[in-house]
Amino acid sequence: SYERLQLLFGLNFSYLLSLFTYILSFTGTLQNNINTILYSNNSIYSILTPEPWVQYLQWINYAVLLIPISMYIWRYGNHDTMLKLYDLAPYLIALNLIQMITNLLPYKEHLFLGLCSFGNIAMISILISLFIKMKILDKKYGWIKTFAIDIPISIYYQSCVINTIFLTNQFIYGANETYIYNEQVFIGL
C-alpha cells in the first residue's frame, strides 16, 4: 500500500542520512566527533572507557540494519514477520534521525555532550520499548524474525550503551581530568 511505500522511503532516506553523517564523523571531516574522543589520551588510558576498537560496533550496527531494510524491499518472510517489520519502521526512522543528530554534534562542549547523552538515552529508551513490543527472542516467530528484527535491535542497543559510556567518560574528563584514572570513581559509577 501507499503508506507502507512511504515508510520504506522514509526508512531508506533516514538510514542513508545517518550513515552519511557517521562517515563524515568517522573520516574526521566533522571536528570534535566521537572518534576524536576515542583516540585521544583521555579515553585510551581511562579505566571507565572500553577499548577504542569497540566503536567499530557502530559499523556492524549499520551493516546489520541492512537486513530489515532488504526484507522490506524483497518482502521476504512470513506474514507475521512482515507485519512486525512494518511496525518496526517508524521506530527505525526515529532512531536513524536521532543518530544523525548525535553524529553531527561536536563532542567538545558540555552542552553538546549533554545533547548527545540525551539522544543516546532516548535511543536506548526506544530500543527497550521495541524489545517489549517486538517480543525479542520469542521462538514462535521463527528464525527469520530473530535474524531480521531481534539481532539488529540488540546490536543497536549495544552500540548506544557503548556510546553512552564514552560520553560519560568525556563528561568526567571535562569535570576533572584525574577522575577518569581513579579506581574509586570507577567503582562509584
Side-chain angles (χ1 to χ4, degrees), residues 131-144:
F131 285 148
I132 296 166
K133 181 177 174 124
M134 297 294 162
K135 297 179 182 171
I136 298 296
L137 301 177
D138 189 355
K139 301 291 184 197
K140 78 175 190 178
Y141 293 106
W143 66 272
I144 294 175

Side-chain angles (χ1 to χ4, degrees), residues 47-48 178-189:
I47 60 174
L48 299 175
T178 60
Y179 285 164
I180 65 169
Y181 310 110
N182 190 326
E183 290 178 16
Q184 292 174 336
V185 173
F186 175 73
I187 292 168
L189 286 172

Side-chain angles (χ1 to χ4, degrees), residues 52-69:
W53 62 264
V54 175
Q55 183 57 26
Y56 286 102
L57 185 64
Q58 189 70 27
W59 284 111
I60 295 169
N61 179 33
Y62 279 115
V64 170
L65 282 177
L66 287 173
I67 296 168
I69 290 173

Side-chain angles (χ1 to χ4, degrees), residues 11-176:
L11 179 62
N12 288 333
F13 186 70
S14 67
Y15 173 80
L16 290 174
L17 281 177
S18 178
L19 180 62
F20 178 70
T21 57
Y22 189 71
I23 290 171
L24 287 177
S25 72
F26 190 81
T27 58
T29 306
L30 300 174
Q31 297 299 315
N32 300 315
N33 56 43
I34 193 163
N35 292 310
T36 307
I37 293 170
L38 296 182
Y39 294 100
S40 65
N41 287 338
N42 58 324
S43 289
I44 291 175
Y45 301 110
S46 167
I47 60 174
L48 299 175
T49 306
E51 292 293 323
W53 62 264
V54 175
Q55 183 57 26
Y56 286 102
L57 185 64
Q58 189 70 27
W59 284 111
I60 295 169
N61 179 33
Y62 279 115
V64 170
L65 282 177
L66 287 173
I67 296 168
I69 290 173
S70 65
M71 289 187 69
Y72 286 116
I73 294 170
W74 288 293
R75 292 188 176 104
Y76 182 76
N78 60 26
H79 183 70
D80 292 334
T81 302
M82 290 307 295
L83 289 176
K84 285 203 173 289
L85 279 169
Y86 287 121
D87 287 345
L88 179 69
Y91 295 99
L92 285 179
I93 291 170
L95 287 168
N96 284 330
L97 292 176
I98 295 170
Q99 184 69 53
M100 180 190 67
I101 292 167
T102 59
N103 289 342
L104 291 173
L105 292 174
Y107 283 57
K108 191 169 186 169
E109 299 175 22
H110 282 291
L111 172 67
F112 294 125
L113 284 172
L115 289 173
C116 288
S117 295
F118 180 73
N120 275 311
I121 291 169
M123 287 189 288
I124 288 170
S125 301
I126 291 170
L127 289 165
I128 289 172
S129 70
L130 282 174
F131 285 148
I132 296 166
K133 181 177 174 124
M134 297 294 162
K135 297 179 182 171
I136 298 296
L137 301 177
D138 189 355
K139 301 291 184 197
K140 78 175 190 178
Y141 293 106
W143 66 272
I144 294 175
K145 180 196 167 278
T146 301
F147 190 66
I149 297 174
D150 300 351
I151 292 173
I153 290 174
S154 299
I155 290 176
Y156 209 131
Y157 177 78
Q158 291 170 2
S159 69
C160 288
V161 168
I162 289 169
N163 287 341
T164 304
I165 292 170
F166 287 129
L167 289 167
T168 303
N169 184 59
Q170 192 64 19
F171 266 124
I172 292 171
Y173 181 78
N176 187 341

